[in-house]
């Protein structure tokens, strides 16, 4: 009779190590890579280093996974941190440029949907997997709906995570080598003085708003609610947001580990021949976003890096970290990213369902 142990995947590589040893290795590799990236001046090195380290460990058999509560805490803190940079003019900026913003966001959504449809029709991925995996946002919602349509949820999750990695890496490289932003910047004061009142208020906003986002089951709500509520409270002068650098670094690392550890050898093997077409579709989408960024620079006169980060498809929390590490208009970046997420939440599932139906797929009973 087959037991649960028989069904368990065979542990290989560092997966044979004890969890404590795997975490120690992940921490050491993360510190080394983050330090090297800092030396090269790559923005958001504290995110990219742990992300790459997590992927290296995952592909080499690591069995550790980031506990969900820690991931949620990191998202909430990062969202609250970004809220500090939002100016009162963000709403006016959104309304004044609403037609252009909608056209930009609609173009990104249309391109990602077309990419998924093409991969699906060519039979590169089974069923409607490519349609759900190519959606530019609301990853959790797409995973749930893809399962209802009988799609391979492992491939959908892989496509979503792979796009986040490519987008984050591309944005960091653009910031460093195209816009000339040096991520090293001034020396970081890791353990500076902490205002207990401001710090307490900040933690309270992050905890309460993040809980609301989780409880209401809003896509990316654990990041989005602290960002929006924190921005409202900060702009009104009711609180002063303060998060020490050491806590931000931990949050960045946790986010990077959560993304990186999702890349395992079985998943890479499972993807097989679909890996190259998936990478090509992501690169096409990133290039298309670059064209949209150029349009923004020509029409609104904003700097190229701000425009590129604002139009980048997906990974809102990762883009927020890169924006915070660069000399850009964070309010503009986050206004367009937030608008994209809200529009995806509103029409993304219905659009993907409509396109899936065009391929002949029907939801499971």
């Amino acid at each position: 009779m087959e037991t649960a142990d028989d069904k368990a995947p065979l542990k290989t590589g560092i997966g044979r190590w004890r969890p404590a040893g795997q975490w120690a290795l992940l921490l050491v590799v993360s510190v080394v890579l983050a330090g090297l990236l800092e030396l090269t001046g790559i923005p958001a090195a504290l995110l990219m280093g742990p992300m790459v380290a997590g992927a290296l460990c995952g592909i080499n058999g690591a069995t550790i996974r980031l506990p969900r509560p820690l991931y949620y805490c990191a998202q909430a803190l990062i969202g609250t941190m970004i809220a500090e940079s939002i100016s009162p003019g963000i709403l006016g900026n959104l309304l004044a440029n609403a037609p252009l913003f909608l056209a930009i966001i609609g173009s990104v959504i249309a391109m990602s949907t077309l990419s998924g449809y093409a991969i699906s029709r060519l039979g590169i991925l089974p069923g409607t997997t490519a349609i759900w995996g190519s959606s530019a946002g609301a990853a959790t919602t797409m995973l749930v709906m893809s399962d209802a349509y009988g799609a391979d949820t492992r491939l959908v999750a892989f496509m979503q995570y792979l796009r986040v990695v490519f987008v984050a890496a591309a944005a960091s490289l653009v910031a460093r080598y195209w816009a000339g932003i040096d991520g090293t910047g001034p020396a970081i004061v890791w353990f500076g003085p902490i205002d207990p009142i401001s710090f307490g208020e900040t933690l309270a906003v992050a905890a309460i708003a993040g809980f609301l986002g989780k409880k209401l089951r809003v896509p990316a709500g654990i990041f989005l609610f602290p960002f929006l509520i924190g921005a409202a409270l900060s702009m009104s002068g009711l609180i002063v947001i303060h998060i020490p650098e050491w806590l931000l670094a931990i949050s960045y690392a946790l986010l990077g580990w959560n993304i990186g550890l999702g890349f395992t050898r079985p998943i890479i093997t499972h993807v097989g021949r679909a890996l190259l077409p998936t990478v090509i579709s992501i690169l096409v989408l990133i290039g298309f976003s670059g064209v949209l960024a150029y349009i923004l620079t020509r029409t609104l006169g904003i700097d190229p890096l701000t425009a590129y980060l604002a139009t980048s498809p997906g990974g809102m929390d990762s883009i927020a970290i890169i924006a915070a590490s660069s000399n850009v208009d964070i309010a503009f970046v986050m206004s367009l990213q937030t608008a994209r997420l809200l529009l995806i939440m509103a029409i993304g599932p219905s659009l993907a369902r409509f396109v899936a139906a065009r391929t002949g797929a029907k939801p499971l009973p």
Side-chain angles (χ1 to χ4, degrees), residues 181-256:
I181 302 298
D182 190 340
T184 54
I188 299 176
V189 181
W190 291 107
F191 300 100
I194 296 177
D195 183 336
I197 296 179
S198 297
F199 186 43
E201 292 173 341
T202 301
L203 292 181
V205 169
I208 295 172
F211 176 78
L212 286 175
K214 172 68 174 173
K215 199 71 175 176
L216 296 176
R217 299 188 177 184
V218 175
I222 299 174
F223 171 85
L224 191 61
F225 272 48
F227 164 60
L228 295 177
I229 294 175
L233 294 174
S234 178
M235 288 188 294
S236 65
L238 294 176
I239 68 169
V240 175
I241 295 175
H242 173 70
I243 303 178
E245 293 293 339
W246 59 266
L247 185 55
L248 279 178
I250 293 174
S251 300
Y252 294 170
L254 292 176
L255 179 62

Side-chain angles (χ1 to χ4, degrees), residues 76-319:
L77 284 171
I78 293 169
T80 308
M81 179 270 293
I82 297 299
E84 182 185 14
S85 305
I86 302 303
S87 62
I90 184 173
L91 184 58
N93 189 30
L94 276 172
L95 295 176
N97 299 287
L100 178 61
F101 281 8
L102 287 175
I104 294 289
I105 296 168
S107 298
V108 172
I109 295 174
M111 178 59 74
S112 63
T113 304
L114 179 62
S115 174
Y117 179 77
I119 294 176
S120 181
R121 292 295 292 177
L122 290 173
I124 296 172
L125 287 175
T128 60
T129 298
I131 295 170
W132 306 104
S134 297
S135 172
T140 302
T141 302
M142 295 304 166
L143 281 173
V144 173
M145 296 192 69
S146 68
D147 187 51
Y149 270 78
D152 191 326
T153 54
R154 287 179 300 171
L155 289 179
V156 172
F158 176 81
M159 292 179 70
Q160 292 281 347
Y161 270 133
L162 189 63
R163 189 182 70 249
V164 170
V165 171
F166 269 75
V167 168
S172 288
L173 292 175
V174 166
R176 176 66 182 96
Y177 295 107
W178 180 42
I181 302 298
D182 190 340
T184 54
I188 299 176
V189 181
W190 291 107
F191 300 100
I194 296 177
D195 183 336
I197 296 179
S198 297
F199 186 43
E201 292 173 341
T202 301
L203 292 181
V205 169
I208 295 172
F211 176 78
L212 286 175
K214 172 68 174 173
K215 199 71 175 176
L216 296 176
R217 299 188 177 184
V218 175
I222 299 174
F223 171 85
L224 191 61
F225 272 48
F227 164 60
L228 295 177
I229 294 175
L233 294 174
S234 178
M235 288 188 294
S236 65
L238 294 176
I239 68 169
V240 175
I241 295 175
H242 173 70
I243 303 178
E245 293 293 339
W246 59 266
L247 185 55
L248 279 178
I250 293 174
S251 300
Y252 294 170
L254 292 176
L255 179 62
W257 286 345
N258 185 72
I259 296 172
L261 288 172
F263 292 88
T264 63
R265 187 173 298 175
I267 290 180
I268 298 296
T269 302
H270 184 62
V271 170
R273 68 189 183 94
L275 180 59
L276 182 58
T278 300
V279 170
I280 291 174
S281 69
I282 292 172
L283 293 178
V284 169
L285 186 58
I286 291 175
F288 182 71
S289 298
V291 173
L292 296 178
Y294 176 76
I295 294 174
L296 280 179
T297 61
R298 301 295 294 180
T299 56
L300 299 182
I302 60 177
D303 68 276
L305 182 57
T306 294
Y308 183 79
L309 293 177
T311 57
S312 291
M316 184 176 178
D317 42 12
S318 302
I319 294 299

Side-chain angles (χ1 to χ4, degrees), residues 12-36:
T12 59
I14 64 175
R16 299 190 184 96
W17 299 10
R18 292 180 180 275
Q22 296 183 46
W23 281 114
L25 177 64
L26 177 61
L27 178 60
V28 170
V29 176
S30 297
V31 171
V32 171
L33 290 179
L36 291 175

Side-chain angles (χ1 to χ4, degrees), residues 318-329:
S318 302
I319 294 299
I321 294 173
I322 296 169
S325 305
S326 309
N327 184 25
V328 300
D329 186 344

